Amino acid sequence: MAVAEIIGAAIGVLLLVVVAYILVGSTLSTAELVVTAQNDLTLNHEQRLRTDLEITDKKIEGSAINFTVHNSGSEIITDFAHTTVLSYDGVLPGYTGYIYQKDVIPSGGYWSITRFENDYLHPKSLDPGESMRCMAAFSGDTPLWFQITTANGVSASAYL
């Protein structure tokens, strides 16, 4: 009879250790996940702070806006698939804008890169100090203003 009580107590202690191990393990993994998310957010914010764009040589030719984007920051810009061009035509009251996606031809228009200037270090990337010539095709009224926004949220705008 005494042996049964000792075995029961040992099983109880073993169950307590297993439950404690599961609780501590889940707490540690949750803490690690939160720390990783905070690190990613901090790195993304630092990348935004190091990104800067300038728009130069802008002109309208037919139904397209031709412009040059100069990377005046210290971050390499590579994700052009998620870079967006916005425009405003000022025709209707309020905000009437169009969104252009890269090489996608929706009803509003599209934008594309026509050439990179001095693209020696990282081909097809916009390195610091480099420029790229772009074209945004529009339909409808001529835009008065446009903006290019990178994948990390940094933008530059210009009036036409």
Side-chain angles (χ1 to χ4, degrees), residues 35-54:
V35 168
T36 302
Q38 288 176 338
N39 285 341
D40 290 346
L41 182 65
T42 302
L43 290 174
N44 189 20
H45 185 64
E46 288 176 359
Q47 183 182 24
R48 286 188 70 200
L49 290 174
R50 292 189 306 259
T51 304
D52 193 26
L53 300 174
E54 293 177 6

Side-chain angles (χ1 to χ4, degrees), residues 54-135:
E54 293 177 6
I55 296 176
T56 58
D57 301 330
K58 55 197 178 293
K59 58 185 161 183
I60 296 178
E61 295 176 355
S63 63
I65 306 168
N66 290 313
F67 58 96
T68 301
V69 177
H70 178 73
N71 184 353
S72 55
S74 61
E75 192 70 29
I76 299 172
I77 300 170
T78 58
D79 190 6
F80 297 114
H82 295 104
T83 299
T84 306
V85 174
L86 308 167
S87 72
Y88 172 67
D89 61 11
V91 174
L92 297 175
Y95 180 77
T96 305
Y98 298 97
I99 298 175
Y100 307 97
Q101 294 177 337
K102 185 173 181 333
D103 299 328
V104 176
I105 304 177
S107 61
Y110 69 96
W111 80 277
S112 63
I113 301 169
T114 54
R115 86 172 176 267
F116 287 92
E117 298 173 2
N118 301 324
D119 193 25
Y120 303 118
L121 189 56
H122 299 107
K124 305 295 183 203
S125 296
L126 191 59
D127 295 319
E130 289 183 352
S131 298
M132 66 179 179
R133 191 77 181 142
C134 300
M135 184 269 305

